[in-house]
Amino acid sequence: MKLDYNNMLAERIGKEGIPLTALGYLAPQVERATQAMKDKRPQMAWRELPYNQAVIVKDILEYAAEMKPQIDAFVVLGIGGSALGPLAVQQALNHPFYNELPREKRGDNPKLYVVDNVDPERLVHLFETIDPTRALFNVISKSGSTSETMSQFMIIQALLEEKLGKERARKHIVCTTDPESGNLITIAKQEGYKTFYVPSAVGGRFSELTPVGLLPAAFCGIDIEGLLEGAAQMDAMCGEDDITQNPAHMFAVLHYIGMLHGKNITVLMPYADSLKLVADWFAQLWAESLGKKFDLDGKVVNVGQTPISALGATDQHSQLQLYAEGPYDKIVVMMGVDEYRKTITIPKSYGDMPSLGFLGGVTHNKLLQTMQAATEYALTKAGRMNMTITIPKVTPQTVGQLLYFFEVATAYAGELLNINAFDQPGVEEGKNATYALFGRPGYDAKKAELDAAPVKEEQYII
Ligand code: PA5
């Protein structure tokens, strides 16, 4: 993987860019953040995932081999960090129309469905699409208490038990959760469900390389050992103290400088359909980790940067106008590949029409790469901060590298901002309000607070 940050620099894009001297001024913060990453590594349990899961991987592969012949569909019930990672890896490494393929073309693997939201139409339509008695439902919840996931679980458990009886239903549910705390582990033990664990010290959005992501990937035939191998390779690349040799730290430092200068938005724009959901996964990681009210000293800082997931060339026809000519508040990170896994050539059909003739004989591979280069040129000419991440090809190893790269970059950005990148207190308020509105025991004070909130005025509703 390569990170090219030429076009972040004032030397290339002019006054909106980062002067090289800025990297020098920031040396004390950078040194502090680098030291903090080393000191806190023992608490960042996600950093050891590439190395300490041999037994877990074996268990996952054996379980997948045993269950695959018994099912046609593998259904993930999870949300946030428990859904975005499985989706990203599946899209990156499997056929784009995987579920539509006949089973033999899927490597004899089941179809994959990820049901994250609690939109009733989604679940009802799923039941119209799959035979639940030929499906394995993977309930993924680190906390074991997320209402969305647990409510889906309760619906599916009841449905399976009605159709199959309690004993046979048990085989159709597998849980992935914290080994010690939460409702899900209690239920899993009570019911005797097969269970995989998310280490207690690994938070939801940093959990893709635990069984949260590895189990669905293994059921879909993805080389999970390759993913972990790639993550280990990236860990080695991120071990350098010198940020000019450390892509993840450099990515974070450049974004940090951007934030200090009003770049409140970062756009991750892969030029490969297969990486679009990696951009979605990154968006959650960056937003939930860095958007914080308080710093580590308890001071109100209200920091963060809004991540946007885009797709080249699609969003050239949707968003790019804004990126090139709108406010100077964005960093655009393009993500490209040296080699696509397939090649397709445009026929030389209309040689006599100059506006189409130039396409004849060109591959889509070349066309998309050229569009990426042209977008980079246009953004640079317009004085817009942009950088490029390039991987040689989308493989389990490079996807593992990307995931680990973004995780380290996020943690490092958290250190530069002096915030806790691993909690999400801002999400709790909404969760608590939901509990209170449903009259959950223990939430009476919150209910009273909600009841006392000013009533909306009709005159402002049209
Ligand atoms: O990163 C996080 O912690 C969150 O986005 C969680 O992944 C999300 O809220 C789902 O939580 P859980 O896995 O506990 O159900």
Side-chain angles (χ1 to χ4, degrees), residues 36 41 78 91 179 235 305 314 390 404 449 452 458:
R41 181 155 179 147
Q91 192 195 51
D235 188 29
Q305 191 178 44
T314 303
T390 309
Y404 201 86
E449 185 188 308
E458 277 301 323

Side-chain angles (χ1 to χ4, degrees), residues 93-148:
L93 293 167
N94 264 332
H95 194 288
F97 306 108
Y98 175 88
N99 277 2
E100 273 83 26
L101 293 175
R103 183 145 186 164
E104 63 278 9
K105 288 204 173 168
R106 275 185 270 123
D108 216 22
N109 298 310
K111 294 181 180 180
L112 176 74
Y113 297 89
V114 179
V115 189
D116 53 356
N117 206 359
V118 285
D119 182 330
E121 296 179 16
R122 180 111 163 239
L123 209 50
V124 172
H125 285 145
L126 177 75
F127 295 145
E128 289 169 6
T129 309
I130 64 164
D131 172 3
T133 65
R134 289 280 306 164
L136 180 61
F137 295 89
N138 184 195
V139 193
I140 311 181
S141 178
K142 168 73 200 312
S143 63
S145 63
T146 302
S147 303
E148 291 88 338

Side-chain angles (χ1 to χ4, degrees), residues 278-401:
V278 170
D280 285 19
W281 167 85
F282 164 76
Q284 186 223 6
L285 183 71
W286 199 250
E288 209 166 81
S289 302
L290 303 183
K292 295 290 151 72
K293 178 174 180 180
F294 296 104
D295 72 7
L296 291 174
D297 306 314
K299 206 170 97 201
V300 175
V301 285
N302 296 117
V303 292
Q305 191 178 44
T306 305
I308 294 186
S309 153
L311 178 67
T314 303
D315 284 309
Q316 288 181 200
H317 302 270
S318 155
Q319 301 285 309
L320 189 62
Q321 171 63 30
L322 172 70
Y323 304 162
E325 293 190 357
Y328 285 88
D329 58 357
K330 295 171 201 67
I331 297 172
V332 179
V333 183
M334 279 160 283
M335 201 152 63
V337 296
D338 287 330
E339 190 189 336
Y340 293 94
R341 289 164 291 182
K342 299 283 179 206
T343 302
I344 193 159
T345 306
I346 308 162
K348 295 180 181 168
S349 319
Y350 293 100
D352 55 335
M353 291 187 183
S355 61
L356 289 182
F358 75 97
L359 292 171
V362 171
T363 61
H364 264 183
N365 314 46
K366 181 79 183 156
L367 184 60
L368 195 50
Q369 282 166 334
T370 306
M371 285 172 167
Q372 182 187 333
T375 301
E376 180 180 343
Y377 171 76
L379 289 171
T380 305
K381 189 172 170 193
R384 307 296 164 145
M385 279 191 182
N386 67 89
M387 55 181 136
T388 306
I389 293 169
T390 309
I391 55 172
K393 197 174 177 176
V394 179
T395 65
Q397 286 75 10
T398 54
V399 171
Q401 285 182 16

Side-chain angles (χ1 to χ4, degrees), residues 69 124 129 149 162 184 187 226 238 250 298 312 320 327 348 375 420 447:
V124 172
T129 309
T149 305
E162 185 195 304
L184 188 54
I187 294 170
C238 294
M250 181 56 95
L320 189 62
K348 295 180 181 168
T375 301
N420 181 351
K447 178 77 171 62

Side-chain angles (χ1 to χ4, degrees), residues 204-223:
R205 56 193 174 274
F206 287 83
S207 69
E208 172 50 20
L209 295 171
T210 71
V212 167
L214 300 181
L215 186 64
F219 268 86
C220 296
I222 289 168
D223 172 12

